[in-house]
Amino acid sequence: MTGRTARGVLVTLVSVLWLVPTWLVVVNAFTPAKEYTGSPRWWFASPGLFANLRTAFESADVGRGLLNTLVYAVIGAAVAVVIAALASFAVTVMPVRRPGLWFWFIFIGTVLPLQTFLSPLFSGYASTGLYDTQYGMLLIYVALTIPFAFFVNRNFMLTVPREISEAAQLDGVNWLSMFLRIHLPLARNALLAAFIFQFTWIWNDLLFGITLSLSPNVRPVTATLADLNGSYATVGPPVVLAGALVASVPTVVLFFIFQRFFVNSLRLTA
């Protein structure tokens, strides 16, 4: 009983420590920019969130950045998950040679640090006309999110009994129909979990956003907030915090909506 109580107290303390930065962001985002003294506030004063948001949307076009990021995160994550599901089906179900080699060939994309890709990507994008375009941003996000989505889907498809595919083959079902009618519905939870992971990664990306984009109608919201943060001497830190608070809402909402599918998928792919 004493050990259980100690664990409960420890978990509570750790949770409080994790919530302190979030609390400070929320409180200071509500602080009017003109009343900010330079020291963080610990409690709500006069409400200034909407005024700070209006300044953020007008000064750095945060609204356009949110729309750009929504397009990148939804389309990029969805395309990556579909491609990863097809690759997982090919490696685990279809009779391909050396499936382990194909797995590492795709998954090794997550091993190298992303910073190693920046210089060749920038040069390649500049020479091909993809720099500062929405198509270019979607292309890099899809390419970078396929390996982990492949890892999640492949681990799940390994749990599907091989007798199912063998019975489908005996009934004359071709590979595409087997994927669409059998394995894809079974992998729904894994697909949703991979989508949430990749949606969150794309939404929070800053590195490629500031490297491969420049125009406000192309830049993701994190790059827009970085621009706003660079000029917070004029707009004030509460404006930056208000923009960051709004930018963090979609990923939190998405996780809570699909929490049940997310947890079930982690249990199945563990």
Side-chain angles (χ1 to χ4, degrees):
M1 190 66 178
T2 304
R4 183 179 301 177
T5 303
R7 284 195 299 269
V9 172
L10 180 61
V11 170
T12 302
L13 290 176
V14 172
S15 302
V16 170
L17 289 176
W18 274 99
L19 287 174
V20 166
T22 304
W23 173 259
L24 289 175
V25 169
V26 173
V27 170
N28 288 275
F30 275 82
T31 303
K34 295 181 180 179
E35 298 181 10
Y36 189 76
T37 60
S39 300
R41 292 190 176 185
W42 288 86
W43 196 251
F44 294 97
S46 53
L49 177 64
F50 294 106
N52 293 335
L53 287 175
R54 184 168 57 252
T55 303
F57 276 67
E58 293 175 354
S59 301
D61 204 2
V62 172
R64 181 64 188 183
L66 286 169
L67 182 60
N68 293 336
T69 305
L70 183 64
V71 171
Y72 300 149
V74 172
I75 298 179
V79 173
V81 167
V82 171
I83 295 175
L86 288 168
S88 303
F89 177 80
V91 170
T92 58
V93 180
M94 297 178 66
V96 298
R97 297 180 60 185
R98 297 185 176 89
L101 181 63
W102 282 108
F103 167 76
W104 285 109
F105 180 76
I106 299 174
F107 185 67
I108 201 170
T110 63
V111 176
L112 298 175
L114 296 179
Q115 289 81 356
T116 60
F117 305 133
L118 290 181
S119 179
L121 272 175
F122 181 83
S123 301
Y125 268 47
S127 61
T128 56
L130 289 173
Y131 178 76
D132 198 30
T133 63
Q134 291 184 332
Y135 296 109
M137 297 301 296
L138 276 173
L139 179 62
I140 188 61
Y141 284 140
V142 170
L144 290 175
T145 51
I146 285 175
F148 186 77
F150 168 74
F151 173 77
V152 173
N153 282 283
R154 180 251 186 189
N155 284 355
F156 172 79
M157 288 191 181
L158 285 175
T159 65
V160 178
R162 186 168 293 274
E163 290 79 7
I164 294 178
S165 58
E166 292 175 352
Q169 285 181 285
L170 291 175
D171 291 337
V173 179
N174 58 43
W175 294 116
L176 182 59
S177 297
M178 190 186 304
F179 171 74
L180 294 176
R181 297 169 58 184
I182 299 176
H183 287 78
L184 198 61
L186 289 174
R188 181 185 61 173
N189 289 343
L191 293 172
L192 282 174
F195 177 83
I196 293 172
F197 271 121
Q198 306 316 90
F199 180 97
T200 304
W201 185 88
I202 295 173
W203 189 276
N204 293 329
D205 172 67
L206 173 64
L207 183 63
F208 294 97
I210 62 177
T211 304
L212 303 178
S213 64
L214 185 63
S215 304
N217 62 331
V218 177
R219 291 206 128 183
V221 67
T222 49
T224 303
L225 290 174
D227 292 339
L228 185 64
N229 185 48
S231 60
Y232 75 66
T234 57
V235 300
V239 175
V240 181
L241 294 176
L245 186 64
V246 171
S248 65
V249 169
T251 53
V252 176
V253 172
L254 183 71
F255 175 78
F256 279 108
I257 291 176
F258 296 105
Q259 183 179 11
R260 179 170 60 89
F261 298 100
F262 182 75
V263 174
N264 290 339
S265 175
L266 289 182
R267 290 173 180 172
L268 290 172
T269 58

